Amino acid sequence: MLKNIISLILLILTSNLFSQEIEKEYGWYHIKPKDSTSKYLDINGEYFIENSLITIDYVEKITFINSETRPFKQIQFEFTEEGKKLWEEQSDMFKGKFAGFVFDNQVITIVYITTKINSGRVSFSSENPNFKTEELFEKLKTIVEKQK
């Protein structure tokens, strides 16, 4: 009887431990669709957040873009020299796959990587209804400035 109670307690404790969400660092992650044949994916789709491609620690400069030539507001990251090399390697390795920017454990946007990105920059908009692009920019800017 005591053995069964102890087993039950251990089962409850381990199930609670494994059911807790793992905190993700702010940054870009490989996004894997649950449907492996999917060629299109948005933040409302079904997917897994896989390994980190690059974190916000590598961002040297952040800019808010509100251009008349672009149909929507964007945030642009410029990476450090080390970050530029890492982003180039990761984007080359994940060509033909999805990447998503994660903030507060939520996917903000998902993009399809078509080519190696060697500019050291990435621009994106928030597709997540919980984060407006302008508000997200202010939060990210504060984080990037604290890193300097």
Side-chain angles (χ1 to χ4, degrees):
M1 177 72 169
L2 182 61
K3 187 177 179 182
N4 289 341
I5 293 172
I6 292 172
S7 295
L8 181 61
I9 291 171
L10 285 174
L11 179 64
I12 292 169
L13 289 174
T14 56
S15 68
N16 283 341
L17 179 66
F18 289 111
S19 68
Q20 292 178 1
E21 197 170 301
I22 297 171
E23 188 74 24
K24 301 278 187 200
E25 287 186 73
Y26 304 151
W28 288 92
Y29 287 80
H30 172 221
I31 303 291
K32 184 177 179 182
K34 286 186 178 178
D35 173 7
S36 62
T37 63
S38 180
K39 296 294 179 200
Y40 175 77
L41 186 63
D42 67 22
I43 64 167
N44 298 313
E46 293 186 350
Y47 50 82
F48 301 103
I49 301 173
E50 299 278 313
N51 52 311
S52 173
L53 303 180
I54 191 168
T55 62
I56 196 171
D57 301 335
Y58 292 96
V59 174
E60 184 171 59
K61 182 180 176 187
I62 182 171
T63 308
F64 184 75
I65 301 171
N66 188 11
S67 169
E68 292 178 14
T69 60
R70 295 184 184 190
F72 40 84
K73 299 169 183 169
Q74 292 186 310
I75 298 169
Q76 182 179 72
F77 288 157
E78 290 183 41
F79 296 114
T80 62
E81 281 303 313
E82 186 181 355
K84 183 178 177 179
K85 290 175 190 166
L86 179 60
W87 185 239
E88 186 175 338
E89 289 168 9
Q90 294 290 353
S91 63
D92 190 38
M93 190 166 42
F94 285 92
K95 280 189 295 196
K97 297 186 171 127
F98 294 98
F101 185 75
V102 174
F103 182 80
D104 280 349
N105 270 356
Q106 296 183 53
V107 176
I108 302 300
T109 191
I110 296 176
V111 297
Y112 186 75
I113 299 176
T114 58
T115 187
K116 177 169 75 172
I117 305 167
N118 57 13
S119 66
R121 294 188 198 121
V122 62
S123 299
F124 62 97
S125 292
S126 176
E127 298 170 31
N128 187 315
N130 297 325
F131 295 99
K132 291 185 178 180
T133 302
E134 296 93 333
E135 294 167 3
L136 180 62
F137 169 76
E138 291 302 327
K139 290 177 181 181
L140 291 169
K141 181 180 173 187
T142 301
I143 294 166
V144 169
E145 287 175 351
K146 284 181 182 176
Q147 293 176 168
K148 292 181 180 181

